[in-house]
Amino acid sequence: MTIHVDLALLAEVEQFLYREARLQDTHAYDDWEALWTDDAIYWIPANGADIDPEQKMSIIYDNRSRIGLRIKQFHTGQRHTQMPRSSLGRVVSNVEIIDDDGKEIRVASNAMIYESNLRGETVWATRNEFLLRRNGDGLRMACKKVVLVNNDKPIYTMSFLV
Amino acid sequence: MITHRALATSVPNFAYLVKEDRIHGSLYTDEEIFRLELENIWYKGWVYVGHTSEVPIPNDFIMKSIGPQEVIMTRDRDGQIHLLQNRCPHRGNQVCTEAKGNRGIFTCPYHRWSFANTGKLRGYPYPDGYETADRSELGLGRVTRMAEYKGFVFGSFAADGPSLEEHLGRGGRDAIDRLVMTSPEGEVEITAGFLQHKAKANWKFLVENETDGYHPQFVHDSIFSVAQSGIGDLYGSESTALARDLGDGHTENDLRPEFRRIGKLLNWFGTTEDRVPDYVAKMVEAYGDEKARQIMIDGTPHVMIFPNLFIAEIQIFVIQPLSVNETVQHVTALQFKGAPDLNSRLRQQTMGSVGPAGFLLADDSEMYERTQRGVAAKNPEWNYLGRGIHRERRDEEGYLVADNTDEVTTRGIWRHYRELMEA
């Protein structure tokens, strides 16, 4: 089986994902918020990867306005669980273009996140799915789904941007 | 001679550790005390396990817990609910590793013993090796007593003791009665699945926090301010809401006085009649205009049923201690039978508020964990819980009440705790 890779597109997508990761790791909230489209969905399911988020509880299931609220809460300086902020370093890998119809690009990737905060150190592992959309000067996230590999178990507070 | 071992097993003096207006920090950190709590509270009294709507059809099962113990809640083919232990009576292997499902039989993978979902032994391979065995004694272990109140299933490992109705008392039963009335069909459903939020903290910090009306304005100011929420005002110094000790460790923040003062339908849920017209119409049809209006003004209860069921207006929390400094909070949106338009909003609001990334609970958990680390400090040895002690009074029903920010609730929890631990 031959796999044809559009290397220019792959490089563009990778650069976008790395940039997103850096903005999250450095708590650059406003720059991160600017990566979303107006109809965006930010989704972290619980108890599996394929639950119906309209019927079942998710860890996060934010529409665009709730993403904005999340950022505003950080900016109050009173989001105690992020005061002090988690110290973060994440590795994004396994970047794969699943589909590209010229307007929207489906991308899969994995991330390992090392978090250090007042509680201690926590390692988070995720399988991510993105729906990216071309928007004039570059890519934007229309959907980001983060499947924590342990989302069926009790997990500690996860209040940084995942 | 006092040996090291004798010292280590000396019984804590709870009359010393739990005083009316202060409690000793070691109650949150001492492993021996945690062991005694499992014995005297979690494995003796009534503990909330699950809801009948989580196993709606015959042969459904769901994994639940009582403290660190796994409990399988099953519904047998005749519709009867059972609380079984996840331990094969042969060599102790777990017979179930699924979170939920539908099956009539649990088979142990080790030597293929099989059990009905009533717990009864069905059979084992090569039975000629068990000529002298009494099969009736080789079923799955059971939670000794099980009882249900309006769909809420509780278990107790003690053969004797108060009935569930006695344990809930007038206050606990009234809370559940008020809760189910929010449904036009008088039933709560627990169908949205649970978030499981772990904290490195002792379980009692969580229980205390649920009806601590003093903290919301400060811990949750960040979200109340940006979401323009009116919740904070319910816990302000001007609020007419009340903190109430319902007895037997059950406590409440009664927000009804504020909601009645404001007098707007569904204000308790931060919405208005015109946004959920179907729900309002069904409520009026079910209860009549006057009673429906009262229910929709009063809202649902904010009641902590000791030791582990917190009815938090729009969601329930189930508190599960794992060890002296590790606790899981299981949380899900309440769903009211016959109220689909309300239910979707309940899920949305709950997802925003609670769980590991919740606008509210991530900050509560931060406080649980910081207090856990804080009480390890040697001085002062005590947590001071005297707020509002001078203005405690009896209400018309005989309950101890005080201002909504007062620690009458926390003192009630500890009074009951001391009784249980000294018993």
Side-chain angles (χ1 to χ4, degrees):
Chain A
M1 174 178 163
T2 310
I3 298 175
H4 296 284
V5 181
D6 180 339
L7 287 176
L9 178 66
L10 180 64
E12 185 186 7
V13 166
E14 280 178 347
Q15 286 301 305
F16 180 84
L17 298 189
Y18 297 160
R19 177 175 154 76
E20 196 230 345
R22 175 171 55 80
L23 297 177
Q24 292 179 311
D25 281 350
T26 57
H27 304 274
Y29 301 132
D30 295 335
D31 290 345
W32 181 78
E33 191 184 352
L35 299 180
W36 293 96
T37 63
D38 290 341
D39 58 346
I41 295 286
Y42 177 33
W43 182 27
I44 307 182
N47 303 309
D50 298 310
I51 62 163
D52 178 355
E54 295 293 337
Q55 295 299 327
K56 300 288 180 186
M57 294 283 292
S58 289
I59 297 164
I60 287 180
Y61 186 53
D62 285 0
N63 60 14
R64 182 63 188 80
S65 114
R66 195 169 273 181
I67 293 170
L69 194 61
R70 208 168 277 286
I71 299 304
K72 277 191 195 141
Q73 189 185 23
F74 287 132
H75 280 312
T76 62
Q78 296 293 315
R79 177 57 160 166
H80 301 284
T81 171
Q82 281 299 315
M83 300 293 290
R85 290 167 177 172
S86 298
S87 184
L88 299 165
R90 78 188 71 195
V91 175
V92 174
S93 183
N94 304 37
V95 179
E96 185 184 0
I97 312 272
I98 304 292
D99 187 40
D100 175 17
D101 67 3
K103 287 181 193 143
E104 291 186 332
I105 309 159
R106 289 193 177 278
V107 178
S109 70
N110 284 1
M112 288 285 286
I113 310 169
Y114 193 88
E115 179 193 21
S116 171
N117 65 4
L118 292 177
R119 185 198 318 109
E121 290 75 45
T122 312
V123 177
W124 305 90
T126 76
R127 297 193 305 270
N128 297 342
E129 294 169 30
F130 293 84
L131 183 63
L132 304 179
R133 203 175 287 154
R134 294 213 173 277
N135 184 309
D137 56 339
L139 299 171
R140 294 283 182 280
M141 295 188 286
C143 181
K144 179 177 181 182
K145 177 181 171 186
V146 179
V147 180
L148 291 164
V149 299
N150 56 344
N151 74 10
D152 58 337
K153 290 188 182 154
I155 59 171
Y156 288 124
T157 293
M158 193 192 51
S159 54
F160 58 90
L161 296 174
V162 184
Chain B
M1 179 187 158
I2 298 172
T3 68
H4 199 72
R5 187 170 179 82
L7 272 178
T9 54
S10 65
V11 179
N13 179 355
F14 287 98
Y16 172 78
L17 298 170
V18 182
K19 302 195 189 304
E20 180 56 22
D21 67 348
R22 66 195 62 206
I23 57 104
H24 197 268
S26 64
L27 290 161
Y28 302 101
T29 59
D30 185 315
E31 295 198 11
E32 173 63 8
I33 288 177
F34 180 74
R35 196 188 61 76
L36 292 169
E37 289 171 354
L38 290 181
E39 250 174 52
N40 290 342
I41 297 173
W42 295 90
Y43 301 157
K44 192 181 280 181
W46 288 102
V47 176
Y48 176 69
V49 176
H51 194 269
T52 54
S53 61
E54 294 180 84
V55 283
I57 61 171
N59 294 338
D60 275 353
F61 73 90
I62 188 163
M63 193 63 79
K64 293 287 177 182
S65 60
I66 292 182
Q69 299 269 318
E70 282 188 325
V71 171
I72 315 169
M73 182 165 83
T74 68
R75 186 187 286 276
D76 69 24
R77 62 182 180 190
D78 300 322
Q80 179 65 38
I81 306 275
H82 302 268
L83 301 181
L84 307 174
Q85 292 246 267
N86 194 12
R87 170 181 176 164
C88 181
H90 175 213
R91 297 233 200 156
N93 200 27
Q94 292 174 306
V95 297
C96 181
T97 56
E98 296 159 285
K100 60 179 180 173
N102 183 280
R103 60 169 69 241
I105 297 161
F106 293 92
T107 302
C108 177
Y110 198 178
H111 303 91
R112 210 173 283 174
W113 286 32
S114 65
F115 307 89
N117 56 9
T118 58
K120 203 175 164 218
L121 175 72
R122 284 182 78 253
Y124 29 58
Y126 321 142
D128 56 330
Y130 287 118
E131 255 182 34
T132 58
D134 178 355
R135 290 171 63 110
S136 71
E137 287 185 353
L138 293 173
L140 294 174
R142 310 176 70 85
V143 176
T144 317
R145 285 189 297 163
M146 186 206 75
E148 178 203 327
Y149 187 77
K150 301 203 169 171
F152 291 81
V153 177
F154 294 74
S156 163
F157 280 110
D160 307 303
S163 69
L164 175 62
E165 296 221 342
E166 287 167 328
H167 162 73
L168 292 173
R170 202 159 34 98
R173 292 196 305 272
D174 178 60
I176 295 174
D177 294 346
R178 278 161 51 201
L179 179 68
V180 300
M181 278 199 314
T182 307
S183 152
E185 298 179 28
E187 278 184 54
V188 161
E189 294 184 308
I190 303 298
T191 50
F194 280 82
L195 299 183
Q196 306 176 75
H197 188 182
K198 191 162 62 165
K200 232 176 193 166
N202 184 270
W203 64 277
K204 299 188 292 301
F205 278 127
L206 282 69
V207 175
E208 291 177 282
N209 186 65
E210 313 299 24
T211 50
D212 168 40
Y214 196 18
H215 81 278
Q217 289 268 54
F218 317 114
V219 173
H220 304 307
D221 183 47
S222 66
I223 192 62
F224 293 159
S225 63
V226 298
Q228 280 113 42
S229 165
I231 296 173
D233 295 335
L234 300 169
Y235 299 93
S237 59
E238 303 301 310
S239 171
T240 57
L242 293 168
R244 179 175 290 122
D245 172 10
L246 295 169
D248 295 323
H250 313 314
T251 56
E252 169 175 32
N253 291 106
D254 185 359
L255 308 174
R256 286 173 295 182
E258 273 295 285
F259 293 138
R260 287 176 184 174
R261 186 181 64 73
I262 297 162
K264 286 186 188 151
L265 261 57
L266 297 163
N267 181 58
W268 66 272
F269 185 44
T271 191
T272 49
E273 294 174 65
D274 53 304
R275 292 200 181 147
V276 282
D278 291 352
Y279 173 68
V280 174
K282 274 189 175 170
M283 288 295 283
V284 169
E285 196 184 326
Y287 297 102
D289 194 47
E290 197 181 337
K291 191 172 177 196
R293 279 189 64 83
Q294 195 61 56
I295 295 168
M296 287 187 278
I297 286 172
D298 283 351
T300 49
H302 183 112
V303 170
M304 176 66 224
I305 293 176
F306 189 90
N308 74 328
L309 174 62
F310 176 34
I311 300 169
E313 292 132 277
I314 67 167
Q315 61 250 160
I316 58 165
F317 293 83
V318 184
I319 296 169
Q320 181 194 13
L322 296 180
S323 68
V324 68
N325 62 358
E326 201 164 32
T327 307
V328 179
Q329 223 167 1
H330 304 259
V331 56
T332 190
L334 282 161
Q335 302 281 273
F336 296 102
K337 197 170 185 186
D341 46 347
L342 194 65
N343 287 342
S344 63
R345 288 165 177 271
L346 285 159
R347 291 192 299 271
Q348 275 304 326
Q349 283 208 15
T350 296
M351 274 191 271
S353 312
V354 305
F359 292 133
L360 295 171
L361 264 290
D363 287 323
D364 286 309
S365 281
E366 190 63 30
M367 298 304 129
Y368 307 151
E369 294 183 341
R370 291 188 195 182
T371 42
Q372 183 69 30
R373 295 192 295 273
V375 292
K378 285 196 173 296
N379 279 306
E381 291 177 55
W382 304 87
N383 281 3
Y384 177 61
L385 302 173
R387 183 174 172 80
I389 206 162
H390 63 285
R391 52 189 177 193
E392 278 182 9
R393 56 200 181 272
R394 295 276 168 189
D395 66 11
E396 57 278 11
E397 294 190 68
Y399 296 122
L400 216 46
V401 295
D403 287 14
N404 204 26
T405 65
D406 287 347
E407 286 162 343
V408 62
T409 46
T410 317
R411 289 189 290 274
I413 292 165
W414 283 106
R415 210 175 297 124
H416 181 65
Y417 173 90
R418 182 174 144 181
E419 274 175 35
L420 296 176
M421 298 305 284
E422 286 184 319

